[in-house]
Amino acid sequence: MKKLFFLAAVATMTLASCMNDEFVGAENSPTVANTETDAINFGFKMQNATRADIRGKAAADLLGSNFYVTGTKGTEQDYYPTPTVVFDNYLVHYGVNTAGTTESNTANWEYVGIDQAVPTPANYDRVKLSSINGAQTIKYWDYSAAQYDFFGFSTGVKKAVTKTTFGTASSDLQDDEIGVTAMLYGEDLDVETSVPTAYTFYIPTLNGLDNTYITDITEVAPTAYGNEVTLRFKNLGSKIRVALYETVPGYSVKDVKFYTADAADLPGDLGATETDAYLIGANNLSFPTKGTVEVRFEHVGNQNQTKQDYDIASAQVTPVADTYLKYKNFEALTAQLNGKERDEVKANGTAEDGKVFLGRTLPQATFAGDKDDEFYKTVFPNTLGYPVTLRVDYTLVPIDGARETIVVEGAKAVVPSTYTRWLPNYAYTYIFKISDNTNGWTGGTSHPAGLFPITFDAVVAESIDATAEQTTITTVATPTITTYQQYHAYTGVSTTPDEYSKNVKNPKDRDIYVQVMDNTVSPAVLYTDLNGKTPTNLTNRSLLYAISGTAPISEATVMDALQNQTSVDPGTGEITGRNGMILTPDANIDAEVDEIVNGVDDNPIDLTEGLGAGKGYGKAAKIDISALTAGTTYAYVYDYTSAAGGKVVKEIYQPIATTPTVTAVGEMKYISTTTLDGISAETVADEAVDHDYIYFSKTNKTTVDPAIPSYSYTYSFVSVDGKTTLPAGLIKVAKSSLATTASDAIAAANTFYFAVYKRNDGEYAVKVIKIVA
């Protein structure tokens, strides 16, 4: 029996609403309005990835001690904010210990007296964006106004300039510059109207993203007039990181090598040699290094107040031609060699100090890159989403002291575009799991196709910011399966990230969504026929099973039970696999939906907004977790067997022990060796395998006394599993001639007993899902 090696990649996308958590000015106490002419003053909040507050000068330093603000007042319009301009791209400056020195400054942030046309320490390296002439003036609250609206940005320690071109000439953008345009105000900002872009950044380097901050629109109602205007700044860049862990029984995993291209060539021809971790982009838009970022407000105005992303800023990136990366380097895996691995390599008689052995659980996943940066790399936002691919070779080392190793080549997973929509100020973690099933090759010159599908779990894990969390798990067994549950493994819930909780943070939608991607083509394409029919499944291709029985649970063992069945209950459809696994159909699955109800920031993900082959969102199956049983493990199965060819089913006879007791499920088939001595056994010539027969080899005739011939022979069962032809000299017995006995019968001597099961060549993709309370 072949041993399966299964690489599962858990791509964990951790989404943080801001890369800086609760980042507050030194003085943030509200002022009380004593008159209707109180000055307008500013404070701010920024979220930090560490969850610790950053205050005062340390916070201001990240903003370069400056930000621009646009503010309007009046009654909200249909598709744009309030119409009357109050702050026309005003520059606001931070000054240490200046709070209270003027009427317009209560939190060390001042805007009065700054002349944007005159470089001073207050606005040094900041471009003039306001249309006013001379110094900025004080502004007072107008209590007759229905509301105020504010939004702003900062280029941090980078220079804010008006240049809008890229290159090396003196007139072009330099690495320490960020090009900007003035913010629109009192105009249509909704994407449904003619002017969706609120303002634009021109970013010459990835480093520029780390220094650029934006805000959503902050509405201020009359009840809050007189208080500081608190703006929440979000970093413009997205962050992603990569990690791996393994769950291969009896093995450690070392020497992971990464590919920088995905091609149809066999792994040996590609040659994975990179020790740095790489993700491969689907096209030229995946990893740009410079580009134009248009900040938009997709839904503003009183026509959109019920929409979940109301007043939320989004970013549309246009990369500069020929400045993209075809793959993203996350640097080397973090070296680790814990005590158990040291014991293993000692048993193997090898010196492995300094080697990287992958962690064995998700919390112990081995990350790539610099720990001081929390392993994150900055990328341009990508609100459209394009698939990314991981492809690796790796070495399996047994932990039982054996000195053999197994090299697996070409293991591959594709994270769907649905979960690679990188939003500003969010962090995404892709964790890939090596498990006991694989779509890679274990070497050899022939590189046989269909070697042990690798399953990649792609998890979008717990958000850094508690207000925006998303987790997906993608299982790739060719095709890739991606599962998603909002707030999966949220901090504070008693569960591990490998499980799905019935008690996740958000009570609105705990359901699990599933997408299936064909990763055998380039670019990879999401399947849209999740409710399509197969020759043996007339309902749909998306199936959900509860798992029980005696077999250990993994994607590989579920696949074996589906393809090798001892019985199928005609009433319930319950499958019993030859490995002892029992798969009970569960009806709590909607085979096809067009929307994931809650995505990032509770916004729905519309799966109908496709972008073409390899880019669209396709369809999703929806699993009702409220109806599932905590403590039970389930399997989502996508049956992608060709409807034209259908499944070929063969009856397979598996010999079982003849003494002392038979434990086969159901009735057994049996045949006596005395029958084989008779004329019912036919001699085999060179011929093709006929599955209506069972085959045996036969020894020379034996004797008790040389003078008295004996007609007893020794027979051995010959498996024809996987064979197409047989050599001459064997004998065969028709399966129809075998007798039947109950499974609890006492085994008789000189008798072959057989367990019978049905084998089909159906093609399945499997994702194991454990439900916890």
Side-chain angles (χ1 to χ4, degrees):
M1 179 177 176
K2 296 179 180 178
K3 181 169 181 61
L4 301 180
F5 299 99
F6 185 27
L7 174 65
V10 175
T12 301
M13 306 158 76
T14 304
L15 308 181
S17 176
C18 273
M19 292 313 296
N20 297 308
D21 213 28
E22 217 58 68
F23 185 152
V24 185
E27 304 275 346
N28 201 35
S29 301
T31 56
V32 178
N34 296 318
T35 70
E36 295 187 0
T37 58
D38 283 309
I40 297 176
N41 45 71
F42 292 95
F44 71 99
K45 290 183 179 180
M46 298 181 70
Q47 296 151 305
N48 179 19
T50 63
R51 298 183 184 271
D53 289 351
I54 301 176
R55 301 175 180 274
K57 187 175 184 303
D61 285 345
L62 292 176
L63 294 181
S65 296
N66 292 277
F67 64 82
Y68 288 92
V69 65
T70 287
T72 60
K73 70 177 182 181
T75 302
E76 191 171 43
Q77 305 300 298
D78 285 349
Y79 292 107
Y80 54 92
T82 46
T84 303
V85 177
V86 180
F87 289 88
D88 171 11
N89 285 279
Y90 264 39
L91 185 61
V92 186
H93 177 68
Y94 179 85
V96 178
N97 296 326
T98 60
T101 58
T102 67
E103 187 180 4
S104 54
N105 181 350
T106 60
N108 294 319
W109 289 93
E110 180 64 86
Y111 61 89
V112 175
I114 296 176
D115 188 342
Q116 293 188 24
V118 180
T120 67
N123 65 332
Y124 183 68
D125 284 339
R126 296 297 181 271
V127 68
K128 182 180 186 301
L129 294 182
S130 180
S131 63
I132 67 170
N133 295 316
Q136 298 171 171
T137 60
I138 194 169
K139 302 292 181 179
Y140 294 96
W141 292 102
D142 179 0
Y143 281 78
S144 68
Q147 73 177 57
Y148 281 78
D149 291 285
F150 299 90
F151 60 102
F153 72 84
S154 171
T155 58
V157 298
K158 300 288 187 180
K159 299 176 184 178
V161 300
T162 55
K163 300 170 186 176
T164 59
T165 58
F166 298 86
T168 58
S170 60
S171 62
D172 293 338
L173 284 169
Q174 305 300 305
D175 290 350
D176 63 343
E177 297 176 334
I178 303 294
V180 295
T181 62
M183 289 177 283
L184 299 177
Y185 48 82
E187 298 185 34
D188 293 353
L189 294 182
D190 187 88
V191 73
E192 297 177 22
T193 62
S194 58
V195 190
T197 301
Y199 55 95
T200 302
F201 293 111
Y202 304 88
I203 310 292
T205 64
L206 290 174
N207 178 260
L209 292 169
D210 289 331
N211 289 276
T212 306
Y213 299 87
I214 63 176
T215 75
D216 299 325
I217 292 178
T218 297
E219 295 183 25
V220 180
T223 55
Y225 293 176
N227 296 344
E228 291 170 0
V229 177
T230 300
L231 298 178
R232 178 185 289 265
F233 285 88
K234 304 187 296 186
N235 188 259
L236 186 62
S238 303
K239 304 284 188 181
I240 58 178
R241 60 182 178 175
V242 170
L244 296 92
Y245 74 103
E246 62 95 357
T247 60
V248 181
Y251 286 86
S252 288
V253 173
K254 68 171 184 176
D255 294 341
V256 182
K257 303 291 181 62
F258 296 85
Y259 291 80
T260 56
D262 181 34
D265 307 73
L266 296 176
D269 298 326
L270 290 174
T273 60
E274 301 292 339
T275 56
D276 284 357
Y278 288 88
L279 288 182
I280 304 166
N283 55 38
N284 300 344
L285 302 177
S286 296
F287 300 113
T289 60
K290 63 175 63 176
T292 298
V293 183
E294 296 178 337
V295 177
R296 301 177 176 180
F297 293 93
E298 306 286 340
H299 297 113
V300 293
N302 57 26
Q303 294 288 330
N304 294 304
Q305 289 180 346
T306 60
K307 297 185 177 179
Q308 290 175 307
D309 54 353
Y310 172 68
D311 278 356
I312 303 298
S314 67
Q316 180 64 53
V317 177
T318 302
V320 176
D322 299 325
T323 64
Y324 55 85
L325 300 174
K326 294 182 179 179
Y327 44 82
K328 182 71 175 178
N329 187 344
F330 293 86
E331 302 180 5
L333 295 173
T334 306
Q336 62 181 33
L337 190 66
N338 62 35
K340 188 169 185 179
E341 267 82 32
R342 290 185 185 278
D343 292 341
E344 291 165 6
V345 298
K346 182 178 179 181
N348 290 333
T350 58
E352 298 286 357
D353 285 347
K355 289 283 187 181
V356 176
F357 281 80
L358 299 185
R360 287 194 173 89
T361 64
L362 181 56
Q364 296 175 344
T366 303
F367 281 86
D370 187 350
K371 184 177 181 180
D372 291 341
D373 294 330
E374 296 185 2
F375 307 107
Y376 285 112
K377 297 293 183 182
T378 299
V379 295
F380 271 84
N382 182 355
T383 55
L384 297 178
Y386 299 97
V388 295
T389 298
L390 176 97
R391 195 167 190 178
V392 296
D393 297 347
Y394 58 90
T395 299
L396 294 169
V397 181
I399 63 174
D400 62 358
R403 300 196 178 199
E404 60 108 6
T405 59
I406 299 174
V407 176
V408 179
E409 298 178 324
K412 176 183 175 182
V414 181
V415 181
S417 56
T418 307
Y419 307 108
T420 56
R421 300 172 67 186
W422 300 324
L423 302 182
N425 203 51
Y426 282 76
Y428 303 79
T429 303
Y430 297 93
I431 301 179
F432 297 88
K433 179 179 69 178
I434 298 176
S435 185
D436 62 345
N437 201 359
T438 180
N439 62 7
W441 290 259
T442 56
T445 57
S446 61
H447 294 291
L451 273 181
F452 329 124
I454 251 179
T455 293
F456 288 84
D457 264 2
V459 174
V460 184
E462 172 197 349
S463 169
I464 290 178
D465 172 47
T467 65
E469 300 173 10
Q470 177 173 311
T471 302
T472 66
I473 298 180
T474 301
T475 302
V476 179
T478 308
T480 300
I481 296 179
T482 298
T483 53
Y484 164 70
Q485 178 193 38
Q486 191 187 42
Y487 298 104
H488 173 80
Y490 169 66
T491 300
V493 175
S494 179
T495 181
T496 71
D498 287 329
E499 301 169 334
Y500 288 85
S501 174
K502 293 169 67 71
N503 188 31
V504 292
K505 175 187 173 186
N506 191 347
K508 291 198 304 179
D509 182 46
R510 300 187 175 109
D511 294 329
I512 301 169
Y513 293 87
V514 184
Q515 286 188 289
V516 185
M517 172 172 277
D518 181 359
N519 63 3
T520 65
V521 296
S522 184
V525 178
L526 280 163
Y527 285 102
T528 57
D529 64 341
L530 303 188
N531 65 347
K533 298 177 181 179
T534 69
T536 55
N537 176 26
L538 301 181
T539 305
N540 53 65
R541 293 181 181 271
S542 290
L543 307 168
L544 183 67
Y545 292 99
I547 303 175
S548 59
T550 58
I553 298 174
S554 72
E555 282 84 359
T557 55
V558 172
M559 202 105 65
D560 186 77
L562 289 166
Q563 292 177 322
N564 300 285
Q565 305 168 2
T566 59
S567 65
V568 178
D569 188 303
T572 65
E574 182 176 271
I575 295 170
T576 301
R578 68 171 180 181
N579 57 11
M581 178 173 287
I582 300 173
L583 302 175
T584 303
D586 193 292
N588 296 298
I589 179 172
D590 187 342
E592 187 172 278
V593 296
D594 293 326
E595 181 182 76
I596 295 175
V597 174
N598 288 332
V600 181
D601 286 345
D602 285 342
N603 293 318
I605 301 174
D606 185 351
L607 302 178
T608 64
E609 296 180 352
L611 302 172
K615 304 175 187 177
Y617 303 139
K619 300 287 185 178
K622 178 180 177 181
I623 300 173
D624 181 6
I625 193 172
S626 65
L628 303 186
T629 303
T632 299
T633 299
Y634 294 81
Y636 171 84
V637 175
Y638 176 71
D639 183 344
Y640 63 106
T641 305
S642 170
K647 296 181 177 71
V648 176
V649 180
K650 298 177 182 178
E651 191 175 71
I652 304 297
Y653 280 54
Q654 179 69 43
I656 57 179
T658 58
T659 57
T661 305
V662 174
T663 58
V665 176
E667 292 185 325
M668 299 176 300
K669 298 286 187 177
Y670 73 93
I671 184 173
S672 170
T673 57
T674 58
T675 305
L676 291 176
D677 284 339
I679 59 174
S680 62
E682 302 177 40
T683 302
V684 174
D686 289 323
E687 61 183 54
V689 171
D690 186 338
H691 287 281
D692 289 332
Y693 289 84
I694 301 174
Y695 294 85
F696 300 87
S697 64
K698 179 180 179 181
T699 66
N700 292 328
K701 183 168 64 171
T702 62
T703 60
V704 176
D705 184 329
I708 305 174
S710 170
Y711 292 93
S712 295
Y713 294 83
T714 300
Y715 296 93
S716 298
F717 172 81
V718 175
S719 173
V720 297
D721 201 9
K723 296 183 175 67
T724 57
T725 60
L726 293 171
L730 301 181
I731 63 171
K732 63 183 181 181
V733 176
K735 293 178 179 177
S736 60
S737 68
L738 271 62
T740 301
T741 187
S743 61
D744 58 355
I746 303 293
N750 302 316
T751 302
F752 283 102
Y753 290 90
F754 299 92
V756 182
Y757 59 91
K758 303 289 186 180
R759 167 168 293 175
N760 68 73
D761 60 354
E763 296 179 294
Y764 308 96
V766 178
K767 176 65 183 78
V768 170
I769 299 170
K770 184 175 182 180
I771 304 299
V772 296

